[in-house]
Amino acid sequence: MELGDIQGLVLSGYARQPIARYFFLRFDGGDARGFVGAILNRVSSAAQAERDDPRRLNIAFTATGLRGLGFAPPVLLRFPREFVEGMADPERARRLGDLGPDAPEHWELGGSDRTRLDALVFSYGRTPDELDDETERLEEVFARHGIEASSEDAFLPPDGREHFGFSGARSNPRFSRFSLRRDPNPFDPRVPPGEFVLGYKNARRERARGAEVPVKQSTRELPPLVGSRRGMDFGRNGSYLAFRKLEQDVPGFVRFLAEQGPRAFPDDPAASARLAASIVGRWPNGAPLVLAPDGEPGHPEPSNAFGYRDIDPKGHRCPLGAHVRRANPRDGLGADGAASLERMRSVRLLRRGRLYGPRFDPNAPTNGPRGLLFLALCSNLAGQFEFVQESLLENPKLDGLHGERDPLVGRPDQGLADRDEYLSIQAEPYARRIPLERFVRVRGGAYLFLPGMKALGYLAEP
Amino acid sequence: MPASRRKTESVLFPIAPGREGAVRGALDQARGRLHELFSRATTLHFARFVVLPPAGPDGKPSLLLETTFDGDEAAHLAELWALAGAELARVLVACDGFPASAKLLDFQRAVEKRRAVSAGFEGPDPRLTVTRIQQQARLRDAVEAVLARDRSLLATRSPGDILAHVQGELRAALPAESDGEGRDVSALPGDENRVIALVSLFSLLVASMVHDFADFVTRLWHEPPGTTGTESAPERERAPVPSLPSRSVQRAFTHRAALKQGAFRRRALRRALAWLTRHQASSGDVANPVARVHSLRWLITADGQLLFTAQHDGSIRARLAEFGAMARAVIGLVWSSTRASPWTTAGGSVVPSLERLSLVAEAHELSPAFVYSAYPMLTVGDLADNAEISELLRGEPSAGRGERLLELV
């Protein structure tokens, strides 16, 4: 892989830089091209030599951002339809389940022209001082080029647990440069780089291609020429990025567990914890329910090598509709386990999300909005992010279920449902149903493109 | 009782140049009311209006009205007009030649005159009527409600006892026995059909190969290297998408692409599509493995376009993947007859990669201006499950039947 041409965020979640500030930019009337040129040298690549740098910076653009950088509509049409239309497009919002209170018109970010996003700058640091220094420099660049910016602080929690108290991103996919290599963990196999970076082979052994753009001349190193030298491979070493601001109602979740837990598991002294695990599909320390159905195991690094088909085909250990089972059914999608694993290999998402807002304190339960700034990298937004969202998380018919959606991030039917939302907990002789409430709300979102370093140079050129 | 079989009718109303906006506007205004009125229809499964922009500089816009319905066509049109005549007239009056104060007869005449012959098939069980589908869905909901309500009572009972309990609770709600709907025997396969199949597909293949080879040579001669010889980067046709109700599990896909040149190729394509329809109606070979397609049509328009419509569950990519796995050669052969297709039989292959198939399908997608489904929350799988639940509730309770019921709900 051409690490020097790939933005660092693709290959690293920047665990050494636990605090971050995300800048949401609008280019209205500003010198967008000059701005890109000004921060170009600060953008971090994935090259080995940069790994010791204490601060990291990455940048991604929406379709409107690329238009602001001079991409004409016919050129933008060479990008995938979903990227050009954007996450807030009404049809796409419907497919993603962003309806009612989650609809784009209610978003703080990216939902309408008023809240439009043109670019997202991700700044990472080890300490607040480092982050403030970088912010000062960036704000000076924004001001100099007339770029409007707002920001939100984000962080990696020291204990690795997200706001609901669960250990996060347990099964983030791992890259494999050799797609044919036998994998030691067949249930969570390594994924070829083309699933996340354009220009490389994906799980179907097809090369993930990016958009071709008109040729520019420059002293900078630009993307390679393609199409009989009539265009440049702008997409090469770039990734698509789905951004969502998800607000979590932690006090509501805690109250719900306390109320519904004993009703769902009347004989279990730890009923609330069991209900939470049934919703998520893992125990708070990350141990999968399917491997530890009796309680949270003590060992800190739970195994990720498991499938559902043989151990738990009927969902008696881990409910069929549990969040992690929906998001990655492993060998449980459809009738053929091997085909399911192969299919799931081509819909994986590289998650780079961070938390925002104060940590939940049960002694001061109402201390401001909190949630997840979700970032998912992929090479095909429709085939990966939208597939997971629409066909797995929001699929009311997944795995023989009927009329259910993801219990954690799915949204209830608007206007169509003549029944309450519920989670089925499979048991003998038949499943019991737990009425659900909603604890996650969408507050913003956008589809972005995270260009390669040479493509960034292209954007800075007139 | 006469065979009651689901059918789809496609009508293409020409729109006067410059009146596309008026048609869209009328549909925007009528959308909510049409949904409400159509939902009272007893024969209507699905309906869609699609405004087709001009296919080229000399082309004319048109409005596709496609309805999938049960039984007799005249009765279906009469029901539609009786329920939503005023709204339909308000939309169609913006089309060429539709009278301002239209009556049922005008509507029937217009449909008769503008009807387009389409080929395709109607789900795994085209004998299920709208009424029956809705009854069975309600029954399933009732079963689930009984099971949830009486869980504490039933938790220790055997599956056979549980079935007996549910039967007892719901005896009054059970729909009547089968409608007596029969299979359309006119379409059963015979030797004649097999011969037609071979001739149709072979002639399409030959026509495609001859024409594509000619295209290939011509382009080699006249165009610089590196061009594909087909519309590999098609311009997308886009419109705002009002669609099925917000959380519908069904999707309505409409795709249009220009056919490649060659009268022989088009005739062969027509024959091949007609054969595919007959073959599917009799054997279910093509659509059954997909199991998530409610209705699927191909339509060749007078101005040389291939229109493809589908009412399906879930994402079109997933459905294309299934089609690709099952009948990729047939689908590839049909689509390789269009200019949208980046594949050519001249290269010796009509089997596209799934990725390219999806890209081309989506790039030429047309957004419908109006889509209706009588049961938007039911998948093809649900229809089968609900029918089986209904059947289980009618029979004598037994352990096996009880276990099956509990598997299904």
Side-chain angles (χ1 to χ4, degrees):
Chain A
M1 292 175 76
E2 298 164 348
L3 298 182
D5 193 28
I6 297 173
Q7 290 202 47
L9 188 61
V10 178
L11 267 76
S12 167
Y14 299 146
R16 289 181 193 170
Q17 286 83 14
I19 56 171
R21 191 160 292 153
Y22 293 177
F23 295 91
F24 308 103
L25 310 188
R26 286 171 66 115
F27 294 156
D28 299 316
D31 174 15
R33 207 173 272 152
F35 157 71
V36 174
I39 66 157
L40 197 55
N41 291 333
R42 307 195 66 74
V43 175
S44 315
S45 82
Q48 192 70 42
E50 289 188 35
R51 296 212 173 151
D52 294 331
D53 192 341
R55 47 127 227 120
R56 312 306 302 254
L57 188 95
N58 289 117
I59 183 166
F61 303 90
T62 63
T64 58
L66 292 182
R67 198 174 302 141
L69 281 157
F71 278 34
V75 178
L76 277 178
L77 281 178
R78 295 175 198 166
F79 285 81
R81 181 176 189 155
E82 58 278 7
F83 172 70
V84 179
E85 288 180 345
M87 192 184 275
D89 173 78
E91 174 65 7
R92 236 150 252 298
R94 188 180 71 79
R95 290 183 191 184
L96 297 175
D98 297 339
L99 299 157
D102 296 301
E105 61 261 31
H106 304 303
W107 290 359
E108 299 160 11
L109 293 164
S112 62
D113 193 50
R114 186 177 52 82
T115 58
R116 195 188 75 234
L117 284 181
D118 289 333
L120 242 164
V121 170
F122 312 96
S123 175
Y124 300 89
R126 291 178 305 189
T127 64
D129 287 346
E130 278 178 9
L131 203 60
D132 288 343
D133 287 349
E134 185 66 16
T135 300
E136 211 171 288
R137 277 190 285 269
L138 281 170
E139 284 176 341
E140 189 272 321
V141 179
F142 296 150
R144 183 154 30 100
H145 295 279
I147 306 294
E148 287 178 36
S150 59
S151 66
E152 177 104 46
D153 283 356
F155 61 96
L156 288 176
D159 59 0
R161 298 198 178 199
E162 52 74 62
H163 284 305
F164 287 143
F166 287 82
S167 183
R170 276 283 158 195
S171 57
N172 231 351
R174 298 152 302 149
F175 279 103
S176 163
R177 296 188 197 183
F178 310 102
S179 58
L180 297 175
R181 200 176 73 170
R182 180 175 291 277
D183 203 290
N185 176 2
F187 297 111
D188 187 22
R190 288 175 185 270
V191 177
E195 289 296 321
F196 308 110
V197 190
L198 300 174
Y200 301 88
K201 286 198 172 170
N202 61 23
R204 293 185 298 279
R205 303 199 183 102
E206 293 168 358
R207 201 166 291 280
R209 293 183 193 282
E212 213 176 283
V213 294
V215 175
K216 283 182 182 178
Q217 303 294 333
S218 172
T219 51
R220 288 193 177 99
E221 203 176 354
L222 297 184
L225 294 165
V226 286
S228 306
R229 308 179 71 81
R230 286 184 296 185
M232 288 181 142
D233 189 358
F234 180 78
R236 188 174 181 79
N237 292 317
S239 294
Y240 287 103
L241 196 159
F243 161 68
R244 280 162 93 74
K245 181 175 182 181
L246 303 170
E247 188 175 300
Q248 293 171 267
D249 175 10
V250 185
F253 188 63
V254 172
R255 176 188 46 74
F256 169 82
L257 295 176
E259 283 172 12
Q260 290 295 335
R263 289 183 200 165
F265 301 101
D267 304 328
D268 193 331
S272 299
R274 176 165 293 279
L275 178 57
S278 298
I279 288 172
V280 175
R282 286 183 185 269
W283 294 100
N285 71 1
L289 206 53
V290 73
L291 294 184
D294 300 326
E296 185 170 9
H299 49 86
E301 281 300 325
S303 167
N304 203 28
F306 63 90
Y308 294 105
R309 182 169 297 275
D310 293 335
I311 308 176
D312 188 27
K314 292 186 173 175
H316 287 175
R317 287 168 165 242
C318 173
L320 297 172
H323 174 67
V324 299
R325 190 162 181 166
R326 274 181 175 269
N328 184 5
R330 297 167 185 249
D331 59 348
L333 191 66
D336 181 342
S340 172
L341 285 170
E342 198 55 38
R343 178 83 184 97
M344 288 312 300
R345 205 163 164 247
S346 66
V347 299
R348 302 303 305 279
L349 296 165
L350 209 50
R351 284 162 292 155
R352 297 288 184 243
R354 292 191 172 212
L355 305 186
Y356 73 92
R359 299 314 305 265
F360 176 67
D361 177 357
N363 301 316
T366 53
N367 42 11
R370 57 174 71 80
L372 173 68
L373 295 170
F374 174 86
L375 295 177
L377 290 159
C378 59
S379 61
N380 183 335
L381 287 165
Q384 292 168 263
F385 174 72
E386 290 189 351
F387 178 87
V388 171
Q389 189 72 23
E390 181 187 12
S391 300
L392 299 179
L393 297 177
E394 287 283 314
N395 185 350
K397 315 288 180 180
L398 189 71
D399 212 356
L401 297 171
H402 185 68
E404 294 180 39
R405 298 177 195 275
D406 186 277
L408 205 58
V409 300
R411 257 83 62 207
D413 292 328
Q414 303 290 328
L416 273 176
D418 52 3
R419 64 173 95 198
D420 295 330
E421 282 285 297
Y422 56 81
L423 168 69
S424 293
I425 297 184
Q426 285 70 34
E428 291 296 347
Y430 58 87
R432 69 170 70 92
R433 291 179 170 180
I434 310 303
L436 282 177
E437 295 174 26
R438 290 295 132 185
F439 312 107
V440 178
R441 291 282 176 221
V442 184
R443 295 290 182 228
Y447 286 148
L448 300 110
F449 181 64
L450 192 82
M453 305 298 281
K454 290 175 188 169
L456 274 176
Y458 178 94
L459 291 175
E461 288 297 325
Chain B
M1 194 173 280
S4 169
R5 200 180 175 86
R6 195 183 309 168
K7 302 183 190 80
T8 292
E9 175 148 274
S10 309
V11 190
L12 281 167
F13 296 98
I15 302 175
R19 296 281 290 159
E20 278 173 79
V23 175
R24 284 187 199 279
L27 279 165
D28 280 346
Q29 283 193 342
R31 186 172 302 117
R33 187 84 181 120
L34 277 175
H35 264 291
E36 187 192 329
L37 297 170
F38 281 0
S39 68
R40 297 181 199 161
T42 56
T43 58
L44 183 63
H45 289 260
F46 315 116
R48 79 177 75 190
F49 280 107
V50 188
V51 177
L52 306 174
D58 302 323
K60 286 183 181 165
S62 53
L63 176 68
L64 169 72
L65 167 60
E66 190 175 84
T67 56
T68 301
F69 57 93
D70 295 320
D72 178 59
E73 187 182 327
H76 163 64
L77 290 179
E79 185 186 39
L80 276 194
W81 192 259
L83 286 170
E87 282 68 23
L88 288 171
R90 230 168 273 143
V91 172
L92 296 175
V93 79
C95 298
D96 255 0
F98 198 82
S101 53
K103 298 204 163 33
L104 171 60
L105 195 61
D106 300 309
F107 180 53
Q108 286 171 328
R109 278 185 187 145
V111 168
E112 187 63 36
K113 188 175 172 187
R114 305 296 184 188
R115 177 178 296 127
V117 180
S118 63
F121 36 84
E122 308 300 334
D125 190 354
R127 294 165 300 169
L128 274 176
T129 63
V130 174
T131 313
R132 177 54 53 97
I133 287 169
Q134 290 173 336
Q135 278 174 347
Q136 290 175 345
R138 281 195 294 272
L139 183 65
R140 180 197 185 122
D141 287 345
V143 171
E144 291 185 347
V146 168
L147 289 175
R149 186 193 67 197
D150 299 343
R151 193 170 203 288
S152 55
L153 179 73
L154 300 174
T156 52
R157 298 248 191 112
S158 70
D161 287 349
I162 294 173
L163 173 59
H165 176 83
V166 175
Q167 283 176 325
E169 292 290 318
L170 298 176
R171 201 167 300 283
L174 274 177
E177 285 289 336
S178 158
D179 293 337
E181 298 139 349
R183 208 167 170 81
D184 182 356
V185 291
S186 64
L188 289 176
D191 290 343
E192 187 189 352
N193 269 354
R194 289 197 190 97
V195 173
I196 292 171
L198 284 175
V199 170
S200 302
L201 291 176
F202 184 70
S203 58
L204 177 59
L205 185 62
V206 169
S208 299
M209 289 184 76
V210 169
H211 284 284
D212 285 348
F213 185 69
D215 276 358
F216 179 67
V217 171
T218 310
R219 283 167 195 278
L220 265 187
W221 194 258
H222 293 291
E223 292 187 10
T227 55
T228 60
T230 53
E231 294 174 21
S232 56
E235 188 169 334
R236 294 164 191 165
E237 295 160 338
R238 291 190 179 158
V241 188
S243 197
L244 288 164
S246 55
R247 304 309 294 272
S248 161
V249 294
Q250 290 175 17
R251 303 278 183 270
F253 180 72
T254 311
H255 167 102
R256 183 180 70 169
L259 285 168
K260 292 176 183 169
Q261 291 299 312
F264 180 58
R265 185 211 295 268
R266 288 185 193 180
R267 275 200 300 277
L269 180 60
R270 274 200 185 90
R271 277 200 295 273
L273 290 178
W275 169 78
L276 202 59
T277 304
R278 284 198 298 274
H279 179 69
Q280 168 60 25
S282 57
S283 69
D285 281 358
V286 182
N288 281 359
V290 178
R292 289 182 187 90
V293 174
H294 295 267
S295 172
L296 183 151
R297 311 301 298 175
W298 279 288
L299 171 67
I300 299 175
T301 66
D303 58 351
Q305 307 284 312
L306 181 69
L307 207 57
F308 172 72
T309 63
Q311 187 84 14
H312 58 90
D313 302 329
S315 75
I316 187 66
R317 277 182 181 244
R319 298 298 77 78
L320 285 170
E322 287 165 345
F323 263 128
M326 152 210 78
R328 196 185 280 190
V330 175
I331 303 296
L333 191 57
V334 171
W335 280 19
S336 73
S337 299
T338 70
R339 290 184 184 279
S341 163
W343 323 286
T344 163
T345 46
S349 169
V350 290
V351 183
S353 75
L354 174 62
E355 194 63 22
R356 305 205 72 182
L357 188 69
S358 302
L359 284 176
V360 171
E362 290 180 359
H364 287 262
E365 184 180 358
L366 287 170
S367 303
F370 171 85
V371 181
Y372 168 79
S373 168
Y375 37 92
M377 295 304 291
L378 297 181
T379 62
V380 174
D382 288 333
L383 302 188
D385 287 354
N386 293 354
E388 192 178 348
I389 289 169
S390 183
E391 207 51 50
L392 287 169
L393 290 177
R394 276 207 199 86
E396 282 298 310
S398 68
R401 293 171 76 88
E403 277 166 16
R404 181 64 186 146
L405 177 75
L406 296 178
E407 267 174 36
L408 287 169
V409 293

